[in-house]
Amino acid sequence: MKITLDELRAFATVVDSGSITAAAEQLEQTVSGISRSLGRLEAKLDTTLLRRTTRRLELTEEGAALLARARDILDSVEEAEEQMAIRRQQPVGRLRVDAATPFMLHVIVPRVAGFRERFPRVELELNSNEGIIDLLERRTDVAFRIGALKDSTLHARPVGSSRLRLLASPAYLERVGTPGRVADLAAHSLLGFTQPESLNQWPVRDPRGNPLHIRPAIASSSGETLRQLAIAGEGIVCLSDFMTREDQKAGRLVQLMPKATVDVRQPINAVYYRNTALASRITCFIDYMIASVAPGRFDD
């Protein structure tokens, strides 16, 4: 059997305090408990560490050798505990973050400077993937996912929600015309996603009253690519406010058919594995993101 920290601590405390009774008081244990710890330690090492006389305890040569090593071990454990406490107070270390390109560019990147100023000892590693990744396989600490979550192994913290809108550039509308009804969209160049197919369901109603499912004239896996195509005048797109809010304010993109558009909001969550013990650097990053997206929606 291997010796334990409790046994080494009991042994060192007995030596330092001068008696088993004093050690028991210092460690808030019973005298019999300290005595048993010493007995187990000597049995495991198959040697006598202390000579017990009627008046005092004396270290044997083997006991003196062990005491020096025990002090080093206990000091190292205490130092490690102190370092962990410091890390909890001031997060330290590499933080690997994953998000789709639009969320990375329009939400995370603008907030990096403020986060680094507040938590300068956290080393950020920012990765963009348009699809769903395996967090463990990619060694990712936290990912930001847009839309309904399906993976039950993940723990999620809501960051906010973002409304979907139909948008086009003024140049496109001037060239092709502005659709006034949902039926008019059939005559336009529609920009959509290669996957998932659910993103090609737009928040307007078809003749049967269902969400309109479009067939893209140009398709891409990246919402950022579709945003750039729309700004360039290549067609009409359906994108989330978190990535187009500034374009709408600047007039680069114009909302179409606002009265016919159903209020559909995409949930945005920070996710990590449920069996992961959250390091403070993960917690502080998620907390910072949630606080900076007040009041919880990207279109306000």
Side-chain angles (χ1 to χ4, degrees), residues 243-275:
M243 62 184 298
T244 61
R245 179 173 55 182
E246 296 305 317
D247 296 323
Q248 294 177 59
K249 288 181 179 179
R252 290 185 293 268
L253 293 175
V254 177
Q255 183 179 4
L256 304 178
M257 296 181 289
K259 292 183 179 179
T261 301
V262 180
D263 189 345
V264 174
R265 297 177 185 274
Q266 293 179 312
I268 300 173
N269 291 281
V271 299
Y272 50 89
Y273 273 102
R274 289 184 181 276
N275 59 356

Side-chain angles (χ1 to χ4, degrees), residues 126-266:
L126 306 177
N127 298 302
S128 293
N129 289 278
E130 308 311 320
I132 302 299
I133 65 164
D134 185 311
L135 271 63
L136 291 180
E137 182 180 332
R138 297 292 184 90
R139 298 180 64 202
T140 298
D141 297 306
V142 59
F144 290 86
R145 293 191 174 167
I146 302 163
L149 295 175
K150 298 179 181 179
D151 193 339
S152 61
T153 65
L154 295 175
H155 181 79
R157 285 188 61 189
V159 176
S161 63
S162 185
R163 188 176 178 182
L164 291 169
R165 302 181 197 266
L166 274 60
L167 304 161
S169 71
Y172 173 83
L173 298 176
E174 183 178 351
R175 186 175 76 251
V176 183
T178 300
R181 302 176 302 160
V182 175
D184 295 340
L185 292 173
H188 283 265
S189 173
L190 306 183
L191 311 176
F193 288 85
T194 54
Q195 60 177 348
E197 190 60 30
S198 60
L199 292 178
N200 290 325
Q201 285 190 343
W202 287 12
V204 290
R205 301 296 185 186
D206 65 15
R208 297 181 179 180
N210 299 318
L212 179 68
H213 193 94
I214 66 131
R215 182 175 181 180
I218 304 177
S220 173
S221 62
S222 168
E224 181 61 21
T225 299
L226 295 177
R227 170 182 168 268
Q228 294 288 348
L229 286 167
I231 292 173
E234 292 300 323
I236 299 172
V237 73
C238 178
L239 293 175
S240 195
D241 277 342
F242 76 80
M243 62 184 298
T244 61
R245 179 173 55 182
E246 296 305 317
D247 296 323
Q248 294 177 59
K249 288 181 179 179
R252 290 185 293 268
L253 293 175
V254 177
Q255 183 179 4
L256 304 178
M257 296 181 289
K259 292 183 179 179
T261 301
V262 180
D263 189 345
V264 174
R265 297 177 185 274
Q266 293 179 312

Side-chain angles (χ1 to χ4, degrees), residues 8-72:
L8 290 178
R9 187 173 287 108
F11 169 59
T13 305
V14 167
V15 174
D16 292 340
S17 63
S19 72
I20 292 177
T21 300
E25 292 178 356
Q26 186 172 331
L27 295 176
E28 297 182 346
Q29 297 183 28
T30 64
V31 172
S32 59
I34 296 297
S35 183
R36 284 194 297 271
S37 291
L38 288 177
R40 287 194 302 270
L41 185 58
E42 289 183 325
K44 290 175 182 179
L45 297 173
D46 193 23
T47 189
T48 300
L49 301 173
L50 292 166
R51 294 191 185 92
R52 299 163 178 83
T53 68
T54 55
R55 294 192 303 177
R56 61 178 181 171
L57 296 171
E58 293 182 350
L59 278 171
T60 63
E61 184 175 344
E62 291 77 12
L66 178 64
L67 180 62
R69 296 301 303 273
R71 291 196 196 284
D72 290 340

Side-chain angles (χ1 to χ4, degrees), residues 69-130:
R69 296 301 303 273
R71 291 196 196 284
D72 290 340
I73 293 170
L74 294 171
D75 287 345
S76 296
V77 170
E78 184 176 344
E79 181 180 355
E81 291 174 343
E82 290 177 354
Q83 288 298 318
M84 290 302 100
I86 291 172
R87 290 173 72 97
R88 286 193 296 271
Q89 296 168 6
Q90 178 59 262
V92 177
R94 183 171 296 277
L95 177 67
R96 298 175 177 87
V97 180
D98 181 87
T101 301
F103 194 84
M104 182 66 72
L105 293 178
H106 297 281
V107 180
I108 294 178
V109 168
R111 291 167 170 81
V112 164
F115 177 81
R116 294 189 67 200
E117 183 178 356
R118 186 169 177 182
F119 303 103
R121 300 180 67 188
V122 176
E123 302 170 13
L124 287 176
E125 181 180 305
L126 306 177
N127 298 302
S128 293
N129 289 278
E130 308 311 320

